[in-house]
Amino acid sequence: MSIMKTKMRSKSSAKTVRKAGRLPRTVALKYEKLKAELEKMGKVLVAFSGGVDSSLLLNVASDVLGKNVLAVIAASETYPGKEIENAGKLARRLKVRHKVISTHELDNPDFLSNPPERCYHCKKELFGTLASIAREEGISFVLDGSNHDDLLDFRPGAKAAKELGVRSPLREAGLTKAEIRKLARHFKLPTWDKPSLACLASRFPYHTRIEVKSLRRIGAAEDFLRELGFRQVRVRHHGPVARVEVEPGEFPRFLKKGLTGKISARFKELGYSYVSLDLDGYRTGSMNETLR
């Protein structure tokens, strides 16, 4: 690396440090740890979904490593097409080189049978593909956006990451979801308050076979609820029954006279016979509750 490039990077890093200095001390220290680890890596590939976690990771990696960052966006039937498009737009906004690849987890019978370890089979294929791309690009490190809070939930995909040597810098720095949102807001990332999004396969009870037509039905149902103004939604697929999760604060609006009929009619158009509102409201990994 030339002296000029080193100076330019140091100036950029100093500017970023000054910004981070206005954050709460604990968050700023974790941010510094994240930045230092990324700097050691030199050149990285980031598994980029466009969510708040991977957006922050990509932004910091770009600040620290400049052009030595490649973002890879995975497209499949298990992820809404609009999210793929938005991830590409954000990568361009951050001026990071990116690729969109297609994944084929729906060709894997171990994934389709939907065991509790479903995410392991999906991530193993994804991370294996990313590792191949990294080798072709001369990149030593593949990164994902897992955070510290993920340690509290059942995450079989983490096993695949460990087996394939994928690093999770946000988690390694001890950053929680709330702290990541705080940092993302601080750096004015448009995703700072973006609702959490997970693979559509997570809407199926374990051991219920995953089918493309059901994935599309779930996606259309969730899109409809968002069009009505509900921000954080999940439509859990129980055969003919759609179990809807929204934030408890949005229950009154969901149950508003006239709107319930509209929701029911649209869901029946999509193929559901019954629509229920989960009284516990939205929470991540509700399908994992049966495992406990």
Side-chain angles (χ1 to χ4, degrees), residues 138-150:
I139 297 172
S140 300
F141 296 93
V142 175
L143 315 180
D144 79 349
S146 298
N147 64 61
H148 184 73
D149 290 343
D150 293 333

Side-chain angles (χ1 to χ4, degrees), residues 267-286:
F267 275 49
K268 286 177 180 177
E269 281 180 8
L270 293 172
Y272 288 108
S273 299
Y274 308 99
V275 184
S276 67
L277 175 64
D278 190 314
L279 298 183
D280 285 331
Y282 165 77
R283 65 269 191 208
T284 59
S286 71

Side-chain angles (χ1 to χ4, degrees), residues 34 38 44-66 69-73 87-88 90-92 94-98 143-145 170 189:
L34 169 64
L38 289 170
V44 301
L45 182 156
V46 177
F48 185 52
S49 68
V52 62
D53 297 332
S54 62
S55 294
L56 177 68
L57 177 60
L58 186 62
N59 183 66
V60 179
S62 177
D63 282 348
V64 173
L65 300 174
V69 180
L70 171 64
V72 178
I73 302 164
L90 183 52
R92 288 190 289 274
L94 296 176
K95 298 180 180 179
V96 174
R97 185 167 67 95
H98 69 283
L143 315 180
D144 79 349
L170 300 177
L189 292 177

Side-chain angles (χ1 to χ4, degrees), residues 8-262:
M8 288 175 66
R9 181 171 294 171
S10 296
K11 287 180 180 178
S12 174
S13 297
K15 184 178 179 182
T16 306
V17 171
R18 284 196 294 273
K19 286 182 179 179
R22 296 192 296 270
L23 290 161
R25 179 173 172 76
T26 54
V27 179
L29 288 173
K30 291 179 182 181
Y31 169 76
E32 288 302 311
K33 182 178 180 180
L34 169 64
K35 190 168 67 69
E37 284 303 311
L38 289 170
E39 195 161 15
K40 290 177 188 176
M41 294 178 188
K43 194 173 183 181
V44 301
L45 182 156
V46 177
F48 185 52
S49 68
V52 62
D53 297 332
S54 62
S55 294
L56 177 68
L57 177 60
L58 186 62
N59 183 66
V60 179
S62 177
D63 282 348
V64 173
L65 300 174
K67 294 184 178 180
N68 289 325
V69 180
L70 171 64
V72 178
I73 302 164
S76 82
E77 292 274 9
T78 65
Y79 213 66
K82 187 176 180 181
E83 293 298 318
I84 307 301
E85 181 182 341
N86 289 340
K89 288 179 180 177
L90 183 52
R92 288 190 289 274
R93 173 174 169 168
L94 296 176
K95 298 180 180 179
V96 174
R97 185 167 67 95
H98 69 283
K99 293 182 177 182
V100 179
I101 62 170
S102 295
T103 57
H104 306 284
E105 61 269 28
L106 293 177
D107 294 335
N108 184 345
D110 291 327
F111 178 85
L112 292 178
S113 64
N114 195 23
E117 299 79 20
R118 178 197 67 240
C119 288
Y120 169 79
H121 301 292
C122 175
K123 295 296 187 183
K124 187 173 183 179
E125 186 209 339
L126 172 61
F127 292 147
T129 301
L130 297 185
S132 295
I133 294 172
R135 284 193 295 271
E136 292 169 4
E137 295 272 350
I139 297 172
S140 300
F141 296 93
V142 175
L143 315 180
D144 79 349
S146 298
N147 64 61
H148 184 73
D149 290 343
D150 293 333
L151 295 171
L152 305 176
D153 196 8
F154 177 61
R155 301 275 177 169
K159 179 183 175 184
K162 184 175 181 180
E163 289 177 354
L164 291 164
V166 174
R167 296 279 298 273
S168 302
L170 300 177
R171 188 180 68 214
E172 292 171 19
L175 284 162
T176 66
K177 190 76 168 188
E179 291 170 334
I180 288 166
R181 289 194 184 280
K182 192 180 291 290
L183 278 165
R185 185 176 187 181
H186 189 75
F187 294 122
K188 298 182 179 178
L189 292 177
T191 55
W192 75 268
D193 65 342
K194 183 177 181 178
S196 297
L197 187 69
C199 161
L200 293 176
S202 66
R203 314 304 195 260
F204 293 77
Y206 291 122
H207 303 297
T208 297
R209 185 173 178 79
I210 296 170
E211 299 177 336
V212 171
K213 65 178 182 180
S214 297
L215 288 168
R216 292 173 179 168
R217 180 186 300 174
I218 294 163
E222 292 189 354
D223 284 345
F224 178 70
L225 291 175
R226 293 189 187 98
E227 289 167 9
L228 292 176
F230 296 98
R231 294 189 77 252
Q232 187 69 76
V233 302
R234 292 288 186 272
V235 174
R236 307 295 186 182
H237 179 84
H238 298 268
V241 178
R243 174 170 59 87
V244 179
E245 296 177 13
V246 297
E247 296 284 2
E250 293 192 300
F251 284 3
R253 191 161 71 85
F254 189 95
L255 297 171
K256 190 176 180 180
K257 186 177 180 181
L259 193 58
T260 52
K262 192 173 182 179

